[in-house]
Amino acid sequence: MHRRLPPLNALKAFEAAGRHGSFTRAAEELRVTHGAVSRHVQTLEAWLGLPLFERHNRRVVLTEAGRTYLPEIGAALDRIALATARQKERGRADVLHVNALATFTLRWLIPRLSVFQRAHPAVEIRLTTSNVPLAQIIEPFDVAIRGGPDTRPGFVGRAFLTERRIPVCSPRLLQHGPLSKPTDLTGHTLLHAATLPDVWPQWLQAAGVPNLAPRASVTLEHFYLTLQAALDGLGIAMGPDRLIADDVSAGRLMIPFADPALPARSYHTYVSEADADRAAVRAFCDWLSTTS
């Protein structure tokens, strides 16, 4: 069957520009010039016979036609990338590309991953970490692990791990002052994550002490750094209960207040519809669902 398809570079430029809402950022991602992205988009618009963007000085906005077209093209490019990656891996071990959140990877996945490898020695895991939202993941992946539920055209999600956030600290902190009630936090240091600045204020509000002033506050760049700082006795962090369970069981961390606990998004696996029945993908997702 003869397929009338627009140029691939034009589709790539449109998809990147539509996802970013910017020709400049699309050019940076594709490693071409702003002018090249603009020309490719114009080529696609001429090919379709309708505008895909409204141009506004330094920004672009998708037209109604562009908004309809974007998710279809994004899903098609994802399928092409995945199919290409699979062909490149033919004849090798069954390689599974997993893209997961950094804190989840360090605190939960890596300590358990050897169990999956022993059960599935023919599957080679290639693990990368990223904290960008699901819809913004650029590199090809077989399984993405993100909070959810979320949506991305052409992908299916599956919940496997619930989470709540509660204060956690090293037992050594009790040497410097009690921690039997929320007001005792006035004598301690609170550890904040720059990526989640509202977690402590939300917990203090829920605990009935919204205006509490701690002895000190320390802000670290990422969530996993606050957990490491808590382990080292620097202060009290807001910990995801499932990601600190091993440290609590081993006595490295303690939970001074069981309540209140803040609800958080569940962890989900996201796989392409085309890959959902692939044996390695199914085995990995099934293993996550049965692992605690």
Side-chain angles (χ1 to χ4, degrees), residues 7 9 14 19 30 43 47 95 97 149 235 272 290:
N9 283 339
F14 161 70
R19 179 160 33 83
L30 299 174
T43 296
W47 199 93
V95 176
H97 296 268
S272 74
T290 58

Side-chain angles (χ1 to χ4, degrees), residues 248-268:
V248 171
S249 296
R252 294 185 292 268
L253 288 175
M254 60 170 285
I255 300 171
F257 317 110
D259 293 300
L262 297 180
R265 299 214 306 166
S266 300
Y267 288 99
H268 284 60

Side-chain angles (χ1 to χ4, degrees), residues 90-138:
R90 289 188 68 179
R92 308 178 192 175
D94 196 351
V95 176
L96 194 67
H97 296 268
V98 178
N99 184 300
L101 295 165
T103 302
F104 171 84
T105 300
L106 291 169
R107 308 293 307 173
W108 194 92
L109 182 56
I110 287 178
R112 292 164 173 77
L113 197 53
S114 62
V115 176
F116 176 81
Q117 290 182 315
R118 286 194 296 270
H120 303 275
V123 178
E124 177 186 338
I125 299 292
R126 295 190 183 176
L127 181 61
T128 58
T129 62
S130 169
N131 291 328
V132 301
L134 177 67
Q136 296 178 19
I137 302 176
I138 298 171

Side-chain angles (χ1 to χ4, degrees), residues 211-265:
N211 299 317
L212 182 140
R215 181 176 64 84
S217 294
V218 175
T219 299
L220 300 163
E221 184 178 6
H222 292 295
F223 205 20
Y224 62 81
L225 295 178
T226 66
L227 296 180
Q228 185 59 51
L231 281 164
D232 292 336
L234 182 60
I236 305 169
M238 286 299 297
D241 61 344
R242 301 302 292 269
L243 305 193
I244 60 164
D246 294 344
D247 291 306
V248 171
S249 296
R252 294 185 292 268
L253 288 175
M254 60 170 285
I255 300 171
F257 317 110
D259 293 300
L262 297 180
R265 299 214 306 166

Side-chain angles (χ1 to χ4, degrees), residues 21-233:
S22 166
F23 283 6
T24 300
R25 292 181 63 188
E28 292 171 353
E29 177 184 315
L30 299 174
R31 298 182 181 180
V32 298
T33 65
H34 179 284
V37 170
S38 180
R39 288 192 296 274
H40 284 315
V41 170
Q42 289 174 359
T43 296
L44 183 58
E45 289 176 323
W47 199 93
L48 294 170
L50 49 82
L52 297 171
F53 291 98
E54 297 174 1
R55 277 76 167 174
H56 301 280
N57 294 328
R58 297 180 179 273
R59 66 188 182 94
V60 292
V61 178
L62 287 164
T63 63
E64 183 178 354
R67 289 193 297 271
T68 302
Y69 199 40
L70 179 62
E72 298 292 339
I73 296 305
L77 291 176
D78 285 336
R79 287 194 294 270
I80 291 171
L82 288 167
T84 302
R86 285 197 298 269
Q87 290 302 315
K88 290 176 68 175
E89 299 296 345
R90 289 188 68 179
R92 308 178 192 175
D94 196 351
V95 176
L96 194 67
H97 296 268
V98 178
N99 184 300
L101 295 165
T103 302
F104 171 84
T105 300
L106 291 169
R107 308 293 307 173
W108 194 92
L109 182 56
I110 287 178
R112 292 164 173 77
L113 197 53
S114 62
V115 176
F116 176 81
Q117 290 182 315
R118 286 194 296 270
H120 303 275
V123 178
E124 177 186 338
I125 299 292
R126 295 190 183 176
L127 181 61
T128 58
T129 62
S130 169
N131 291 328
V132 301
L134 177 67
Q136 296 178 19
I137 302 176
I138 298 171
E139 64 272 16
F141 62 86
D142 300 308
V143 180
I145 297 175
R146 291 292 187 276
D150 206 346
T151 59
R152 179 172 174 175
F155 286 80
V156 293
R158 175 180 175 185
F160 70 91
L161 191 68
T162 59
E163 180 180 283
R164 302 180 309 156
R165 292 180 180 143
I166 48 179
V168 295
C169 63
S170 167
R172 289 177 288 162
L173 253 61
L174 295 180
Q175 301 172 9
H176 306 296
L179 276 171
S180 59
K181 57 187 182 299
T183 52
D184 290 336
L185 293 171
T186 56
H188 292 274
T189 297
L190 302 189
L191 303 173
H192 299 264
T195 51
L196 292 166
D198 296 329
V199 174
W200 263 118
Q202 290 172 357
W203 188 89
L204 293 172
Q205 179 72 38
V209 287
N211 299 317
L212 182 140
R215 181 176 64 84
S217 294
V218 175
T219 299
L220 300 163
E221 184 178 6
H222 292 295
F223 205 20
Y224 62 81
L225 295 178
T226 66
L227 296 180
Q228 185 59 51
L231 281 164
D232 292 336

